[in-house]
Amino acid sequence: MTNTQIPAVRPQPPAAPPAPAPRRSARDRGTRLLATLFLAPTIVGIVVFTVVPIIGSVVLSLFHWNVIDDPSFAGAANYREAFTDSTVLVSFGNTLLFMVLAVALQLMIALVLALAVNGRMPVWLRSVFRSAFFFPLVLSAASISVVMKYLFNQDFGVVNWLLGLVGVAPVPWLTSENAAMATVILVYVWQQFGFSFLLFVGGLNNIPKEIHEAASLDGATGLRKHLGITLPLLSPTLLVASVVGIINALQVFEQPYVLTNGGPGDATRTVVMVIYESAFEQLRFGAASAVGVLLFVLIMAVTALQFRLSRRFVHYQ
C-alpha cells in the first residue's frame, strides 16, 4: 500500500479590521460652513422670490379673489375662462409671433455684428463697438420706449420727418396694426441684441484660430467658412442666446405697454399685459394667476423643446 501524505493546511492570518473612515478635520468643516454661508443668500432668494411665488400663483389660480373680499374656490374655472377668452387667445398669438420675429432678428443682427467686430480692426475700436452695442441693454426699457414713442410719432416724430426729406409719406408706426407690431419688435431688438452680441463675441474668441487657418488652406473662404466652421463651433453659444432670448421675448411687457398700450385694438397686446390688466386694473387675481401659470408652462415647454433639438444641432468641441 502506498502511504498518501495529506498536505498540511496553513492557518490563515486573521483579516485586518476595516480602516476607520477618515475624520473630517476642523479645516474641512470650516470650509463647508463657509460655502454654506456664501450660498445661503442665493438659495434663500431663489426660494423666497421664485419658488414661493410660483407655488402661490398656482394655488391662487384656483380661486376667485379681488383683494377686497375673501377668496372663493373656483377650481378650474379660471383656466376654462382663459381658454375661451378671445383677448387671452389673441395675446398668446401676438406673443408667439413677437417671439419668433424678435428673436430671429435679434440673433441675426447680433451674429453679423459680432463677426464684423471680431474681424481685423484696432483693439480700441473693437472696445468702442462692444460698449456702444451693449449700452442700450443697461437702460430702462420703459424710458427707451418713451423716447421711441416720440421718435415714431406719425405727426411730429423724427423718423417720419427724415422719411419726408426723401419724399416718403408719413407712416402710422404706432396706429396701424402691422406697423405697430413691427415698431415694437424694432424697439425691443434695438435694446436687447447687445446681450446676444457679447455672447457671440465671446464664443468667436473661443474658436481656435488654427481651425480657420486650416480651412483657408483647404480653400474655404467667406460665407462658406462661416457656414461650415464658424456656425457649428458657435452652436453652443447660439443655444444659450436663443434660450435666453425666447424666455425674455415671451415675457415682453414694457415696449408694447408704453408704445401702443396693446393697440391698435389688440394688435400688440401680449400675455404679460393681460396678466397686468387682469390683476391690477380689474382686480381679478385668480384669472391673472391662471394666465401666468399657462405662460409658465409655455416657457417650460419651448425651453424643453430647444434642449431636445440641441442634441441634433449643437456641436461641442
Side-chain angles (χ1 to χ4, degrees):
M1 295 180 64
T2 304
N3 295 330
T4 303
Q5 295 182 354
I6 301 175
V9 179
R10 295 182 180 180
Q12 297 293 331
R23 299 180 60 184
R24 294 176 180 174
S25 63
R27 182 176 181 179
D28 293 337
R29 292 194 297 270
T31 302
R32 289 177 176 270
L33 178 60
L34 184 61
T36 303
L37 292 176
F38 276 116
L39 291 175
T42 301
I43 296 174
V44 171
I46 292 175
V47 171
V48 173
F49 297 106
T50 303
V51 177
V52 172
I54 290 176
I55 297 175
S57 297
V58 174
V59 174
L60 188 57
S61 67
L62 303 176
F63 290 83
H64 291 309
W65 188 45
N66 61 359
V67 182
I68 301 173
D69 301 324
D70 294 333
S72 59
F73 184 74
N78 289 322
Y79 292 97
R80 288 195 297 268
E81 180 184 350
F83 282 110
T84 56
D85 190 338
S86 60
T87 301
V88 176
L89 297 178
V90 169
S91 70
F92 270 98
N94 291 338
T95 302
L96 290 174
L97 176 64
F98 177 89
M99 176 200 73
V100 172
L101 297 178
V103 174
L105 186 60
Q106 174 184 336
L107 295 181
M108 182 178 63
I109 293 176
L111 181 59
V112 171
L113 291 177
L115 290 172
V117 170
N118 201 56
R120 296 180 180 179
M121 64 173 56
V123 177
W124 66 269
L125 186 57
R126 183 179 293 114
S127 301
V128 170
F129 280 123
R130 289 179 182 178
S131 302
F133 294 150
F134 185 77
F135 180 71
L137 192 62
V138 304
L139 301 177
S140 168
S143 61
I144 289 179
S145 299
V146 170
V147 175
M148 292 297 180
K149 187 174 183 178
Y150 284 101
L151 293 179
F152 284 98
N153 187 278
Q154 180 179 355
D155 299 323
F156 53 84
V158 175
V159 176
N160 277 341
W161 177 77
L162 292 174
L163 293 176
L165 296 179
V166 294
V168 178
V171 179
W173 297 103
L174 304 176
T175 56
S176 171
E177 291 188 2
N178 296 330
M181 178 60 78
T183 304
V184 172
I185 291 174
L186 290 175
V187 173
Y188 176 87
V189 170
W190 179 81
Q191 185 184 16
Q192 295 291 326
F193 83 90
F195 177 77
S196 301
F197 167 77
L198 286 186
L199 287 180
F200 290 148
V201 169
L204 290 172
N205 290 332
N206 288 330
I207 298 177
K209 296 181 179 180
E210 293 80 6
I211 298 179
H212 285 291
E213 294 174 356
S216 299
L217 293 176
D218 291 338
T221 58
L223 184 60
R224 182 181 176 185
K225 181 190 297 185
H226 290 316
L227 293 178
I229 298 175
T230 304
L231 287 181
L233 294 178
L234 199 63
S235 56
T237 307
L238 279 167
L239 175 64
V240 174
S242 62
V243 169
V244 176
I246 288 177
I247 291 175
N248 290 336
L250 287 174
Q251 301 177 83
V252 64
F253 172 73
E254 294 93 338
Q255 290 85 359
Y257 183 77
V258 175
L259 287 170
T260 62
N261 196 25
D266 291 328
T268 57
R269 195 173 308 280
T270 62
V271 178
V272 179
M273 288 185 64
V274 171
I275 296 173
Y276 172 81
E277 292 166 356
S278 298
F280 299 105
E281 294 181 2
Q282 304 170 9
L283 297 182
R284 300 170 63 241
F285 286 91
S289 298
V291 177
V293 172
L294 294 177
L295 177 61
F296 174 76
V297 172
L298 175 62
I299 292 174
M300 295 298 294
V302 173
T303 304
L305 178 62
Q306 286 181 275
F307 281 104
R308 179 72 177 180
L309 295 176
S310 68
R311 299 177 184 178
R312 180 178 301 179
F313 299 106
V314 177
H315 308 279
Y316 297 94
Q317 298 182 22

